[in-house]
Amino acid sequence: MGKYVYQLDEVDNPLEIYKLLGNKGAQLSEMMKIGLPVPKAFTITTDACREYIKNNSWPDGLEDELKASVKAMEDKTKKGFGNKSNPLLLSVRSGSYVSMPGMMDTVLNLGLNDEVIQGLVVKTNNERGSYDSYRRFVQMFGDVVMGVKHSSFEAAIHELKNKKGVKLDTELKVEDLKELVKNFKDIIKKESGKEIPTDPLEQLKLSVTAVFGSWNGKRAVTYRRLNNIPDDAGTAVSIQEMVFGNMGNDSGTGVSFTRNPSTGDKEHYGEYLINAQGEDVVAGIRTPKKIDDMKQDLPGPYAELIKVYEKLELHYKDVQDFEFTIENNVLFILQTRNGKRTAQAAIKIAVDMESEGLINQKEAILRVNPDQIEQVMHKQLDPEGKKKAQLIAKGLPASPGAAVGQIAFTAEEAHDKNSAGKKVLLVRTETSPEDIEGMHSAQGILTSRGGMTSHAAVVARGMGKCCVAGCEEVIIDESAKTVKIKDQQLNEDSWISIDGSTGEVFLGQVNMVEPEMSGEFQKLMGWADNHRTLKIRTNSDTPKDTKVAIDFGAEGIGLCRTEHMFFEGERILHVREMILATDVEGRKKALDKLMPIQKGDFKAIFEVLEGKPANIRLIDPPLHEFLPQTEEAIKEVSKDLGIPEEKIKERLEALHEFNPMLGHRGCRLCITYPEIAEMQTRAIIEAACELKKEGKEVKPEIMVPLVGHVNELKLLRELIIKIADETIKNFGVKLDYQVGTMIEIPRACLTAEKIAAEADFFSFGTNDLTQMTFGFSRDDAGKFLNEYYDKKVLAWDPFQRIDECGVGQLMELACKKGREVKKDLKLGICGEHGGNPASIAFCHKLGLNYVSCSPYRVPVARLAAAHAVLKEE
Amino acid sequence: MGKYVYQLDEVDNPLEIYKLLGNKGAQLSEMMKIGLPVPKAFTITTDACREYIKNNSWPDGLEDELKASVKAMEDKTKKGFGNKSNPLLLSVRSGSYVSMPGMMDTVLNLGLNDEVIQGLVVKTNNERGSYDSYRRFVQMFGDVVMGVKHSSFEAAIHELKNKKGVKLDTELKVEDLKELVKNFKDIIKKESGKEIPTDPLEQLKLSVTAVFGSWNGKRAVTYRRLNNIPDDAGTAVSIQEMVFGNMGNDSGTGVSFTRNPSTGDKEHYGEYLINAQGEDVVAGIRTPKKIDDMKQDLPGPYAELIKVYEKLELHYKDVQDFEFTIENNVLFILQTRNGKRTAQAAIKIAVDMESEGLINQKEAILRVNPDQIEQVMHKQLDPEGKKKAQLIAKGLPASPGAAVGQIAFTAEEAHDKNSAGKKVLLVRTETSPEDIEGMHSAQGILTSRGGMTSHAAVVARGMGKCCVAGCEEVIIDESAKTVKIKDQQLNEDSWISIDGSTGEVFLGQVNMVEPEMSGEFQKLMGWADNHRTLKIRTNSDTPKDTKVAIDFGAEGIGLCRTEHMFFEGERILHVREMILATDVEGRKKALDKLMPIQKGDFKAIFEVLEGKPANIRLIDPPLHEFLPQTEEAIKEVSKDLGIPEEKIKERLEALHEFNPMLGHRGCRLCITYPEIAEMQTRAIIEAACELKKEGKEVKPEIMVPLVGHVNELKLLRELIIKIADETIKNFGVKLDYQVGTMIEIPRACLTAEKIAAEADFFSFGTNDLTQMTFGFSRDDAGKFLNEYYDKKVLAWDPFQRIDECGVGQLMELACKKGREVKKDLKLGICGEHGGNPASIAFCHKLGLNYVSCSPYRVPVARLAAAHAVLKEE
């Protein structure tokens, strides 16, 4: 075993060193060990890649090891690299320790030149297949290694096919392919200024360097950021003996899953192409055939394939996504990896495999990625709506769910329109890795070419985004910005609706409906609940959202933003009257009108909760947010309240702030206007007392926001307790309530031991805490954050996932200091991070009692909380 | 010794328990010990006050102790409290452990009623003096204990004097005083609804309670906040046998300093009034006589007084400010305390006392309050300007310095106009403790009544504010808002200039000039430099300010804000061109024009520094700050740059931020526009290299602002080093430079161990760090901070003095983490706290290498840094 190169048939425990070999290399080696038909291969480690990236040159010794490994492969295959009569051809593939499909570069058929090709022709006795391989090599090498545009080659093929009057690549004759090789070489010469190298070793070395370099390609970097893959993971390079799926009709190539990755059903699933090489399937250039058709086309290899399915699942105990090639009726497996799957499939597969005895309950829980499962709760097209809508096309059901939007023709367009608040569907002939950002921005994706394993399909499933792929009736004219579907002429203003579970495409906007949870889903959630220790609450301001969350398993409300209720109906008028009042009496008068309304709101929420705790936050936003901003609105409010416009403008002016985030808001409001806190306390406690009188359970928790100094909390806590106790006494009931604070200011964390003395609970407001700890305004940081990701200043968006190193350090400090003073201090989180699995794991590590998240995130949080426990074990 | 009451002639080491006895009580006791003629007294401790405030009732046992103490005093004085033939009268005075002149309440002549007064008349054989004492008692008790308005009594006196056709209180006859007593009692009855109590013990108990309560009076609370006195210090209550200065022309009362508190000269200084009680002098109601006049008026007591001066200074080794009363030619000392003095006097006295051998060098340093000395550097009226200006009046030179402003008639007016950016002089008949905030806001104070020890004079000196007092030619009509000075009629728009060192008042705005430092000042600063370990740098952006700071002793620049240079002359046009450019090329073109100008600026500053280090910060503010904001300005810029107005507005719109404090600024700018950092680095390093070529010393330090993540610094540091090293190489010189960062974001403190690895230095930007740690926007917090002080949420303004508990904790963390990684990491501070003595002491404790402050604060910082060392010892 060398320092940088591993012979894959000689590795003892390949899966243990998968970070070094990359997932692809490790799996090739593993498959060799379990006796699957894998062509000979060796792998250059990720160490070598890291060294290369650091120094921008090959590490010492790598070249010698590479040469020795080629030599060894020559011995094993009994072929010669560059040999003119018995040539060894190689594939060169990238492979990080996590699969990054299509993100980095690959070169196939390496080792060919004008002399070696003659040997290949003789040896394979297949001139056409040989020249097809040669043109593929020149094309890929030109693209990947020499930087010539892919489209230049495609144009040349297209031109030739037109000239010859044929439609498919497979219809091209030997002479045509020879002409293509020549044309391709000319294109390379013209565009890169260089000749394609003829020395096979030179070809190999340049290809390895290109693969190393592709690690820092834009696509790869974006993919890593979106998938939280560390930048220093590096890619390994696997070099394997070529086998040829393009040697005629007894040859072919395909991709298959051991179970259906879309539904999770236990069925053989996949596609293949006769007389083709692997990239033809993935690239979606020809529409492939279903696996089952192989039974007739290639019965021998099909029988072998059936055995491979079983062997793979028994060995890996998970769904495998593998590539195979058939060369003259002989089956080879070129790659396997755990199959990406929809959330729905993931859940079904995990639960099924548990009942099949392949895995246990804990393993089953860990098999489902919490980030992903929100999609099983995604909306579907309303069946009634579908009946009435015009079905205009049908494609492949590539990723489940549904989406409605206007047409975007490019990724940029999708991104821009989405930023402008529009809902769009990305409609493209096919997608490519460059489109990832745009796919993120779209509601869903519709392609006219490519199969279930095409780029669009794979990526959409990973994103949990609805996708209909290979819908060939859809004819797109990107430059004219039109879509023709049969007789329909659509443009960027047209609305369409797609169903990713059926492949249907409808004209117009079809209603969407809530999803139903499968039995497997409920089962898995139950298992998760058995293992998790974190409680899951929800952020909810209405009885309706609260109901949704409770149905999803929420165990209480972690954040009820009272001010969200201020906008509805007549409330806003009273709120404005309060703000515009010039003295305490005026404010109290307006608050008196608000009180019964707020009380009603709280009562309704308490009733839905049926005794589960409700954390209610006192008013938080700066008052100017409640005032009208436009001339027209001011005029209207002036009329409604009988207050001169000038007065309203004066007040607006007086309330103007340079940095409202850091201004007069949160508890600062209640310190200057204690009457607001009084009213809100009274509303909460009266609502609770009235229900108590009816014999119902209520657990109110009153939360003071934006505390930075213990005295703020102390002052308001005294006020709240005074009002609450008075109210309870008046009602003559027994009611337990708690008073605590949101921890969202750095100073609160730093002085948590003081604040804890005045608090029954802490709830981390990680949105604001992140803003202040970083000094980032969430509303403004968009101006530079993308640049930060591009320049690798930040690895992820700290507003989505807790920055453990900085913000997390403050949280840890607060937990420690708080619990030192008050052993049983209740700790929770109500920032949006409360629904983010990585952040939930962190909260679990900190010893929080609960996390709180939006209703649809509740199942995600339940599963993530279980993962946190199981991963700790 | 009781639990709550101490007999002052029985205390062993009164100064050691001054926190219990209050300063007044402790000093009375101390004076008794050294044999000064002090009337008998006992003191109720601050403990009792704290208990009272906590429970709103007297602590158990206090009343018994009080009664026993009165009994003991009766024994010692051989008089009886409430005795009708030989009455003991008492004074009841407040006294915290630090002097709070006039802030809390006092009752004199306590123990009188309609019967006891008869005994006093007989015993003193002075009916007029006795009744004068009685009317004073009723008046003070009514005011202080029963809450009747002071002005009601004053009106009654005024009315009576008019009726009798007299001008002075002393001209009132016995019958008049009897009538006054009656009138006063009626006023009390009418306004409070109660009779004044006749039982002396009841009077005493109520007075003690009133003094306790005055601790939380608005005046006292404000004074404590302004002077950083803890709220829980509490006041002691000293109860002393009354002696009478109002017993005729062989009696009197006065206030004196052992040295001149204005200049520091060694001369007897003070004022007295014949036939008066103490409050007459302080209140400034009659204009008193100079101490030296006593030699003729009361030669016997004067001779005694001279001995008292010597005894006091020899014993206390500091200037004493004492009160005395002469009762029928016998001198009594009623109080002593360290004399408040001007900065100029403090310096002179400290240096003089050192050379007199009274104190040593370290003590001399500690005698001068760093907060105060900025005033000796205050501007003076330009002597040439004075010659040309119209001198319209002359008053007492009550507090040195000079001030120019428009007239404000009330404290509120002064405050409001100052807030609106106007310069005002507070012009009042006399000031009172209610006026403190307004005095703070004014440039200076001018009063028409009262002497050198009047309220206005004492407070102004304490504040380091210029004051001319007792300027009787000034006739103020507050309601009409006019001032008449001889023939001049002035109003609120009129400008006047005052000279607090001469008492002169000029019409209009007289130029001001820089002060000259005295020899004593230089000497003291030299001593301070010998002891301090902190280096002192300055925040300066121009060669001129740098020169001032160096003359004041600055040892380098701690913060040079390059963007301040962006506004001058044609620079701003280039800056705007840069901001409005649509691509890198456009920006670079504009930056190329800026480069030589910035280089010139840096060169000029380096030359002034003569080899002292210069910390230069890269661009910090958000770009929109450099663009025109008004329609008109936009029009002009559009013309100047040939850019359509629409484009400018678009750019302004694009640059708009919701929270600019947390937006696209600081290092974030240089990460998106690296060309700015490149230009600035080039300008700094080229400037340095050119001087190096001339054989001059230069020490540039390049500071990256607003770093929150090590990668920000890493990226920019690499860029800076690349440009700098290239430049140095081109010049062929040897130049050392440093690259470091401002630590002003909480996350930077939390991750300082990572950031330190990329930094040669840290400079704490405590302005922003305070904003983010508290979540306070400095521009907006005014809306609630006053409420925070009133409600005791905050004890002081965290933007003036470092919040050690929160912000300081982050700083400590950053120092510790930074130095763990880099033992010699240079640490400094460049926030405005760098000129605040309490904060400087904290920085010393943290082990910072230097503090940096505005040029005029440099001597303050030098002294404060020495204090920090000496107080540690």
Side-chain angles (χ1 to χ4, degrees), chain B residues 409-410 413 417 477-483 490-492:
Chain B
F409 291 88
T410 64
E413 208 180 308
K417 290 190 171 169
D477 183 338
E478 194 182 310
S479 58
K481 295 205 169 200
T482 57
V483 173
L490 308 179
N491 60 32
E492 57 179 338

Side-chain angles (χ1 to χ4, degrees), chain A residues 558-577:
Chain A
L559 175 64
C560 174
R561 285 154 295 207
T562 50
E563 65 273 5
H564 282 198
M565 305 170 175
F566 282 2
F567 284 98
E568 230 176 275
E570 54 177 329
R571 293 165 172 80
I572 186 67
L573 264 192
H574 304 323
V575 172
R576 285 171 176 168
E577 184 186 333

Side-chain angles (χ1 to χ4, degrees), chain A residues 653-665 667-668 670-674 706 708-709 711-712 715 745-751 753-754 771-781 783-784 787-788 791-795 803 805-807 809-810 813 817, chain B residues 653-665 667-668 670-674 706 708-709 711-712 715 745-751 753-754 771-781 783-784 787-788 791-795 803 805-807 809-810 813 817:
Chain A
E653 184 59 33
L655 289 174
H656 170 78
E657 293 184 311
F658 295 96
N659 296 290
M661 235 295 291
L662 308 177
H664 196 184
R665 53 175 284 243
C667 68
R668 300 163 196 172
C670 288
I671 286 173
T672 35
Y673 308 119
L706 215 70
H709 193 292
N711 287 347
E712 296 171 318
L715 204 71
I745 286 188
R747 199 180 183 284
C749 297
L750 295 164
T751 61
E753 78 284 5
K754 295 195 175 75
Q771 295 198 80
M772 293 181 216
T773 305
F774 272 91
F776 285 170
S777 159
R778 232 178 141 175
D779 295 323
D780 304 307
K783 292 206 172 90
F784 54 87
E787 203 95 16
Y788 268 46
K791 294 187 174 163
K792 303 189 186 176
V793 173
L794 288 181
D803 159 55
C805 176
V807 177
Q809 193 181 146
L810 280 178
L813 200 67
K817 288 185 170 213
Chain B
E653 184 59 34
L655 289 174
H656 170 78
E657 293 183 311
F658 294 96
N659 297 289
M661 235 294 293
L662 308 177
H664 196 185
R665 54 176 284 243
C667 68
R668 300 162 195 172
C670 288
I671 286 174
T672 35
Y673 307 119
L706 215 70
H709 193 293
N711 287 349
E712 296 171 319
L715 204 72
I745 286 187
R747 197 180 186 285
C749 297
L750 294 164
T751 60
E753 78 284 5
K754 295 195 176 75
Q771 295 198 79
M772 293 181 215
T773 306
F774 273 91
F776 285 170
S777 159
R778 231 179 142 176
D779 295 324
D780 303 308
K783 292 204 174 92
F784 54 88
E787 203 94 18
Y788 269 47
K791 294 187 174 165
K792 302 189 187 178
V793 173
L794 288 181
D803 158 55
C805 176
V807 177
Q809 192 181 149
L810 280 177
L813 200 68
K817 288 184 171 214

Side-chain angles (χ1 to χ4, degrees), chain A residues 793-856:
Chain A
V793 173
L794 288 181
W796 70 72
D797 180 352
F799 291 111
Q800 285 191 1
R801 175 178 164 187
I802 288 172
D803 159 55
E804 297 184 16
C805 176
V807 177
Q809 193 181 146
L810 280 178
M811 292 172 72
E812 198 179 340
L813 200 67
C815 293
K816 198 172 138 275
K817 288 185 170 213
R819 288 251 171 94
E820 265 170 21
V821 174
K822 206 170 259 182
K823 218 176 81 235
D824 297 326
L825 184 70
K826 185 160 58 186
L827 299 173
I829 178 174
C830 59
E832 280 176 33
H833 302 91
N836 169 267
S839 308
I840 291 169
F842 181 69
C843 291
H844 172 78
K845 210 180 79 188
L846 288 184
L848 261 50
N849 299 83
Y850 69 85
V851 299
S852 186
C853 56
S854 64
Y856 279 84

Side-chain angles (χ1 to χ4, degrees), chain B residues 278-351:
Chain B
E279 76 268 22
D280 301 341
V281 185
V282 183
I285 291 166
R286 278 194 278 156
T287 302
K289 299 173 95 170
K290 289 207 186 99
I291 278 291
D292 287 341
D293 296 342
M294 238 178 94
K295 200 170 185 176
Q296 290 178 324
D297 292 348
L298 297 162
Y302 182 74
E304 286 301 313
L305 194 63
I306 297 306
K307 285 185 213 154
V308 168
Y309 283 121
E310 271 176 39
K311 219 165 192 170
L312 282 172
E313 275 212 351
L314 257 173
H315 182 70
Y316 284 106
K317 298 178 194 305
D318 199 356
V319 173
Q320 293 300 298
D321 162 7
F322 63 99
E323 290 178 17
F324 62 88
T325 285
I326 296 151
E327 179 179 325
N328 306 127
N329 267 319
V330 180
L331 176 73
F332 292 95
I333 310 297
L334 298 183
Q335 166 172 324
T336 192
R337 57 189 178 202
N338 289 336
K340 283 192 189 290
R341 62 209 81 173
T342 63
Q344 198 185 332
I347 293 163
K348 180 159 173 49
I349 290 165
V351 173

